[in-house]
Amino acid sequence: GENVEQHPSTLSVQEGDSAVIKCTYSDSASNYFPWYKQELGKGPQLIIDIRSNVGEKKDQRIAVTLNKTAKHFSLHITETQPEDSAVYFCAASRYAGGTSYGKLTFGQGTILTVHP
Amino acid sequence: SAVISQKPSRDICQRGTSLTIQCQVDSQVTMMFWYRQQPGQSLTLIATANQGSEATYESGFVIDKFPISRPNLTFSTLTVSNMSPEDSSIYLCSVRPVTPRGYEQYFGPGTRLTVT
């Protein structure tokens, strides 16, 4: 089955700096890669995703890049703010036919701390 | 997206008892899932809740311990049976809304269970 490795496990940055979190996956058939942000006491929130037909996607201060050849994808957060502090999870799944996708396999999570 | 509510939001239970967690979505969804998140850990899929039929369980999870119902397209329950302290976790309901893309997945706020 799919295996997703996420690094680093913790990341500490100063406000205004950039933060990068990286994930690698094992199943070359995986083609959907979402990122989730989980704040303390809340459920994971989908913040951005990418499908394998694109290499990069941006949404304001966050972006995700995908390298299918190397089987890795990354989350980039620019101009970090204290409210970006949370646990971030990457995940991967594959197309299963019709409009169906298989189950998500999650990385281990990254605790991001943004210091004011 | 979808608005997902879970009841209860948290509970403290005695070992040997059972707790039923409810998940309600504000719109029809194609798939509903139940996850467990142990303290400081990633998300582990317990099962896929199938409407009108038995749930599909992941390796390591069994119906006798985690019976699941899904009587319609917007509601599901997860029961944690004969609880032990090792069952202390966050239990998360997750759904895929009916959309042309079919792959976006959203999470509820979670139920924080402590077993004493």
Side-chain angles (χ1 to χ4, degrees), chain B residues 19-91:
Chain B
L19 176 72
T20 296
I21 302 167
Q22 298 180 359
C23 176
Q24 178 72 55
V25 193
D26 69 338
S27 58
Q28 290 189 357
V29 299
T30 58
M31 302 184 78
M32 296 183 79
F33 308 91
W34 287 98
Y35 286 80
R36 181 174 74 183
Q37 186 177 28
Q38 296 181 304
Q41 301 297 311
S42 187
L43 293 85
T44 301
L45 180 62
I46 298 172
T48 301
N50 300 309
Q51 193 232 338
S53 64
E54 195 170 285
T56 304
Y57 289 84
E58 297 298 306
S59 176
F61 297 96
V62 295
I63 187 170
D64 290 345
K65 176 66 175 178
F66 298 102
I68 288 170
S69 77
R70 186 181 173 189
N72 58 51
L73 291 173
T74 62
F75 183 80
S76 177
T77 66
L78 168 74
T79 299
V80 186
S81 304
N82 188 24
M83 288 184 284
S84 66
E86 293 71 35
D87 294 319
S88 297
S89 287
I90 300 171
Y91 291 87

Side-chain angles (χ1 to χ4, degrees), chain A residues 37-45, chain B residues 37 90 92 107-110 112:
Chain A
K37 174 184 181 182
Q38 187 174 27
E39 297 175 280
L40 195 62
K42 297 185 178 181
Q45 175 193 0
Chain B
Q37 186 177 28
I90 300 171
L92 294 152
F107 285 82
R112 283 145 186 82

Side-chain angles (χ1 to χ4, degrees), chain A:
Chain A
E2 175 67 280
N3 182 51
V4 178
E5 297 287 333
Q6 183 172 345
H7 299 280
S9 56
T10 61
L11 180 58
S12 182
V13 300
Q14 290 296 127
E15 182 176 1
D17 289 350
S18 295
V20 181
I21 303 170
K22 298 181 179 181
C23 289
T24 60
Y25 59 98
S26 61
D27 185 354
S28 57
S30 289
N31 53 9
Y32 175 60
F33 307 94
W35 285 89
Y36 290 87
K37 174 184 181 182
Q38 187 174 27
E39 297 175 280
L40 195 62
K42 297 185 178 181
Q45 175 193 0
L46 178 65
I47 57 171
I48 196 167
D49 57 15
I50 193 168
R51 295 176 66 194
S52 60
N53 57 342
V54 297
E56 182 176 4
K57 183 177 178 181
K58 288 184 179 180
D59 183 3
Q60 299 181 23
R61 293 187 299 108
I62 61 173
V64 56
T65 59
L66 171 65
N67 183 326
K68 280 193 66 179
T69 302
K71 289 191 285 188
H72 69 70
F73 56 110
S74 300
L75 178 70
H76 304 254
I77 306 174
T78 59
E79 302 174 21
T80 54
Q81 302 168 2
E83 49 266 40
D84 294 328
S85 297
V87 181
Y88 291 81
F89 292 98
C90 64
S93 71
R94 62 151 78 179
Y95 178 63
T99 57
S100 298
Y101 278 72
K103 63 182 182 180
L104 290 175
T105 300
F106 285 86
Q108 297 86 347
T110 296
I111 302 172
L112 173 63
T113 304
V114 181
H115 299 282

